[in-house]
Structures are given as C-alpha cells and as structure tokens.
Amino acid sequence: MGKRGNNSKKRRRTSAEGGKGPKRKFPVDKAEDDNAKEDGGVPAWDHLQDELILRIFFLLPLRDLVRTSVACRRWHRLAFDESLWHSVDLHGVINTGLALEQVLKTGVRRLSCPGVHIDNRYLSNMCRLKITEMDLSMTEINTTTLERIIDCCTRLECLSLSGMNISCGTLLALSYNRRLRQLNLSGCHGFSVSALTYMLRSCSRSLLRPALHRPSAASTSLPFLSPSCRIQHFNMSGCHFLHFNDIMKSIFNNVSSTVTHLDVSGAFCSASLDDLNALVKRCPDIRTLHFNNNWRISIECLPVLSKLKHLVHLSLNGCLGLDVAAITDVRKTFPSLKYLDVMTAENIRKMSSLEKANPGVCINLCPSFVVASPTQRYESVGDLRMWDRTIRLRFTPWPLARI
C-alpha cells in the first residue's frame, strides 16, 4: 500500500515538473507533422501560400512556367495568374495561334509577336482585352481576325501594325482607345482615306459623349461621338496608295494637335506648300519631322517649317527639289534644330560646305530613329525591350520547345 502511494506521488510530481516524462503524440498531430515536413525539415509545396509560390514562378522563364502548369490543378491556376503574364514576347513560337489564345486569356498587358503567322482557328472567341502595348509588325493574320483583336482593346497606349494589311474596321476600332499615344502604321495598306480621316478626327477631338453603337466601316460620317485619344507619335511612312496625296492631305488636316513626332515619308509623295502650312498651324509642337522622298519640297518650304519653334530633328532625305547649296544658316532658320538629314545623290558633294556653314547642327549624323517604332533590341542576353521597357517573358528557341 505504501509503494503504490509513492508511485502515484512520483507520477504526479513528474507531470507537474513538465519535462521528464515522455510526451505522447496523438495520431492527428503525427499526421500533420509528417505532411508539414519532408526531408531535411523543409515544408511541403502543398502547405506553401499562393503568394510565395507566385514569387517562385515569377523567376521562371516562359518555357519552364508553361511546364509547371501541367503538374497539378493548383499549379495550373497559379502558373497562369495574371501577375505573371504582364509582358510576353511570342516571337519564335511554333504554334503561335494556340499560344496567343492562351496568352490573351491571362490578361496580358504588353504583347509582342512580330513577324509570325497566326492561325485564325484559335482566335474565334475573345472577350475584352487589357492590352496597353502591342507589336504586330509584319504579322501574317487575317484582316477580320485583326479587326476582332483591335475591337476587343480599349486600353491601347502604343500600337505597331507596320507592314500589315488592315481593314477600315480596324481603324474605326482604334478610335475607341482613349489612351493611344504612339501609333505605327508604316507600310500599311488596305484601308480607305475616309476611314483614316475618321480615325484621325476622332483622335484629335476633345472628350465627347461616347457613341451608343460603334460605326461600321461603311458609315464614316460626322458627328464623331467616340471618346478621344491624344496621339503623340504617329508614323505613316512607306504607304503605297494610288491616291497617296489624299492620304497626306488627310493627315495634315486631321492629325491630333498634340503630335510631337511625325513621319510622313512616302514613295515620292508630293506635299504642297499649302499642306505644310496646314500642318504647321495644326501641330505647332512637333519636335521630330520626317519628310523623306518628297519631290515637291524646295528651299521655299523651309521658312514655313521654321515656324515649328520646338523642332529638333528634320529629315528631308531624297527630296530632289531641295538644293543644299541654298541652305546657308540653319541655326538662324531653326533655332532649336540639332539634327538635319538632307542626303541625296546630287547633294553628296555639297555636304562638306553645308557642315562648315552650320557647325552647331549634326548633318546626316542622327542615330537611327523610327517614329512610334517598338525598337525591339536586346540590352543583354536575356533582356528584350519594347518601347523602352523590358519584356519579362519571352520564348527562347534553344533548346527547341513547344508551348
């Protein structure tokens, strides 16, 4: 009886001290401990929060990010999270149509896929897009599909459709992007002068009451009830039309007054002195003006262009009617001018005298600059830039992979 009482007191003292007796684990606690830790005490992937996994996925390249999406349903949901697909470059993807369909569903903001062929089968059903910058230069795509893509965009700020066949409906849809700042339509064809006029007028008007229904490609009459956008960089060079002079007149009389960089170079286009007066009066803040291959530009046009008080770069390459010997004091005519391009076959021998007469102006030495161009270039091995901002996700063709 005495031994039994001593043992009970010892058990009570051990439990009161709280450290000497073996601690018992319930089955539920042991199962949680086994699931919470793997080899080396590292937490299991299933117990990591979504925010932490998204941070890890953010460091993956495009090819590996797509591969992780097939691991499980949770990883598929996280791999296509909108925060990971902010900027994407699809140049070099084998099945561009299917890849573009998946990328558009992620809510991509900045999209680059120049010089690719897009299959129209995968872009039949599209909803409202959140794209702000898009480069489709030299892309092979059906005009109806392109019109459908632009029609789903209302937040575009920078757009390049260089060298593409675009319809009148595409230009009408562009007028509903109120934030459009840079537009590159160099080398484009397939649209009418009336559609271009409608787009330019709607982009140059102040904010008006939005239209109840978007106008069709056939109805391009006033009044314009679409919201306005303020284009600052506009490129309409190299467009081959039978009535290119009508295109020029439409641009000079309807382009937005906020334009600061303008390129209207053409295949021997002819802009008259009245057209230049209309442009200078409408857009007094132009800083860059490209007027290459205009055979009607002569020395009499320089006093008109001198009214542009903020002009920094003037390009008149290929203007056969311009006599370089008559250009004496460029600094006096253009006080703010820094770059002047007047290269022609007839004026090559006269360049030295022009340079000596204008020591403060760089003659034919301006670095390559294309108005409203995405200017895609690699700053480093893995850094691709579009409109001076880095594209994070891009397809690497080595080793060969399909997405």
Side-chain angles (χ1 to χ4, degrees):
M1 186 70 182
K3 291 182 178 181
R4 187 178 301 176
N6 292 334
N7 292 334
S8 61
K9 290 180 180 180
K10 186 182 295 185
R11 285 196 299 269
R12 286 196 299 269
R13 186 168 59 251
T14 303
S15 59
E17 293 176 357
K20 296 183 178 180
K23 185 178 178 180
R24 180 182 177 184
K25 284 192 175 184
F26 293 95
V28 176
D29 297 336
K30 188 175 186 304
E32 291 179 354
D33 183 69
D34 292 340
N35 291 331
K37 291 187 177 181
E38 292 180 345
D39 296 338
V42 180
W45 281 91
D46 294 340
H47 288 265
L48 294 179
Q49 297 181 355
D50 290 351
E51 292 77 8
L52 184 57
I53 297 180
L54 287 176
R55 284 178 174 267
I56 299 174
F57 284 179
F58 187 82
L59 304 176
L60 298 179
L62 178 60
R63 184 182 65 240
D64 296 337
L65 182 61
V66 175
R67 287 179 176 178
T68 58
S69 64
V70 299
C72 60
R73 292 183 178 179
R74 185 192 180 199
W75 281 26
H76 183 274
R77 174 177 58 84
L78 295 176
F80 286 99
D81 187 81
E82 183 176 331
S83 61
L84 302 178
W85 296 82
H86 185 271
S87 57
V88 184
D89 174 49
L90 296 179
H91 182 70
V93 177
I94 297 177
N95 194 347
T96 312
L98 179 59
L100 182 59
E101 180 190 25
Q102 296 176 354
V103 169
L104 292 179
K105 292 179 180 179
T106 61
V108 60
R109 298 297 200 279
R110 305 176 63 235
L111 177 62
S112 171
C113 50
V116 299
H117 173 75
I118 298 178
D119 195 344
N120 307 318
R121 298 176 299 172
Y122 301 101
L123 300 174
S124 56
N125 298 322
M126 287 185 296
C127 57
R128 191 67 63 190
L129 302 177
K130 300 180 181 180
I131 299 177
T132 58
E133 298 181 4
M134 181 165 57
D135 180 19
L136 298 177
S137 303
M138 306 300 294
T139 298
E140 298 181 12
I141 186 173
N142 185 271
T143 55
T144 306
T145 305
L146 176 62
E147 181 180 341
R148 191 182 302 117
I149 293 176
I150 301 299
D151 190 64
C152 293
C153 298
T154 57
R155 305 181 183 181
L156 284 174
E157 298 179 8
C158 302
L159 176 65
S160 178
L161 302 177
S162 176
M164 296 185 61
N165 182 17
I166 60 179
S167 62
C168 296
T170 301
L171 292 181
L172 300 181
L174 282 178
S175 61
Y176 285 84
N177 290 270
R178 292 181 291 177
R179 304 174 184 176
L180 191 61
R181 296 180 291 104
Q182 298 192 32
L183 179 60
N184 184 9
L185 299 179
S186 61
C188 291
H189 57 280
F191 54 89
S192 63
V193 179
S194 59
L196 177 64
T197 303
Y198 182 93
M199 189 269 293
L200 292 176
R201 288 188 180 182
S202 62
C203 293
S204 62
R205 286 174 171 257
S206 58
L207 186 62
L208 298 178
R209 176 174 61 89
L212 298 178
H213 303 285
R214 295 192 178 188
S216 61
S219 66
T220 57
S221 59
L222 293 172
F224 302 98
L225 300 179
S226 62
S228 69
C229 53
R230 292 294 184 179
I231 297 179
Q232 299 175 0
H233 296 211
F234 184 53
N235 192 337
M236 201 69 189
S237 62
C239 296
H240 300 277
F241 289 92
L242 295 177
H243 305 285
F244 189 76
N245 293 333
D246 296 335
I247 296 289
M248 297 280 287
K249 291 181 181 295
S250 176
I251 295 174
F252 292 161
N253 292 282
N254 300 292
V255 71
S256 176
S257 60
T258 58
V259 166
T260 58
H261 298 72
L262 179 64
D263 190 348
V264 286
S265 305
F268 297 98
C269 60
S270 57
S272 63
L273 198 60
D274 295 335
D275 296 334
L276 291 180
N277 279 307
L279 176 64
V280 170
K281 184 179 180 179
R282 186 174 184 85
C283 307
D285 298 327
I286 292 180
R287 297 174 56 86
T288 300
L289 180 60
H290 291 189
F291 241 132
N292 303 319
N293 298 325
N294 194 312
W295 61 272
R296 296 186 66 175
I297 292 292
S298 61
I299 195 66
E300 290 79 11
C301 298
L302 295 184
V304 178
L305 297 178
S306 65
K307 298 178 183 179
L308 300 173
K309 302 301 181 182
H310 306 284
L311 189 63
V312 176
H313 181 198
L314 178 61
S315 182
L316 302 175
N317 292 324
C319 296
L320 303 179
L322 185 64
D323 186 10
V324 175
I327 304 177
T328 56
D329 193 355
V330 178
R331 269 296 185 184
K332 185 177 180 180
T333 309
F334 303 95
S336 59
L337 193 67
K338 295 182 179 180
Y339 303 99
L340 176 63
D341 298 331
V342 286
M343 181 64 70
T344 58
E346 292 79 5
N347 296 328
I348 293 180
R349 298 179 180 180
K350 306 175 183 179
M351 287 296 114
S352 59
S353 61
L354 181 62
E355 294 173 359
K356 292 179 180 179
N358 302 279
V361 180
C362 297
I363 308 297
N364 300 326
L365 295 177
C366 181
S368 178
F369 176 75
V370 182
V371 176
S373 173
T375 59
Q376 294 195 8
R377 61 184 184 275
Y378 290 91
E379 297 292 341
S380 60
V381 177
D383 187 12
L384 176 64
R385 302 183 67 85
M386 180 180 70
W387 279 294
D388 295 329
R389 291 199 297 169
T390 305
I391 295 180
R392 196 183 68 84
L393 290 177
R394 66 183 184 89
F395 180 77
T396 53
W398 59 87
L400 293 178
R402 295 174 179 266
I403 71 169

